[in-house]
Amino acid sequence: MQDLNKLQTFVQVAARGSFTMAARELRVSPSAVSKQVQQLEKALSVSLLNRSTRGVSLTEAGRAFYQRCQDALAALDDAVNQAQTLHAGSSGTLRVHVVSGFAQRE
């Protein structure tokens, strides 16, 4: 999958059962959310959501895909957090042993 944003958008819509609520959470327009989900469905060649005037619900394929996306996005968050933690620097005690003549001035 080339566009992680589409997956995140789909997960927000599925979790909230609404394009409008997902749009508020993502701070974008509802039409942008709808467009991203439509592009994702087109790329997958499967309908993920049942749309009605009252809201949206997951199709059978959508439920399975939603669960896998949640797991994948959680794993990505863990990987990012681990990388940031490791990059934050070393911790603990640093001990340096130097020969006594090494640090003398002339």
Side-chain angles (χ1 to χ4, degrees), residues 3 5 8 13 21 25 47 49 51 54 62 65-66 76 79 92-93 99:
D3 194 350
N5 289 331
Q8 291 170 321
V13 172
M21 296 298 288
E25 181 70 24
S47 179
L49 299 169
R51 294 154 174 86
R54 294 184 181 187
F65 190 66
Y66 173 63
L76 285 172
T93 304
V99 179

Side-chain angles (χ1 to χ4, degrees), residues 48-86:
L48 300 171
L49 299 169
N50 294 313
R51 294 154 174 86
S52 74
T53 56
R54 294 184 181 187
V56 296
S57 62
L58 293 167
T59 63
E60 186 177 341
R63 276 190 290 281
F65 190 66
Y66 173 63
Q67 188 62 46
R68 297 295 299 266
C69 285
Q70 280 186 307
D71 295 342
L73 292 173
L76 285 172
D77 283 342
D78 288 345
V80 168
N81 290 336
Q82 183 179 21
Q84 289 173 338
T85 300
L86 292 173

Side-chain angles (χ1 to χ4, degrees), residues 32-45:
V33 169
S34 179
K35 185 176 180 179
Q36 285 196 345
V37 172
Q38 286 175 346
Q39 289 172 349
L40 178 62
E41 288 176 322
K42 184 176 179 181
L44 297 172
S45 298

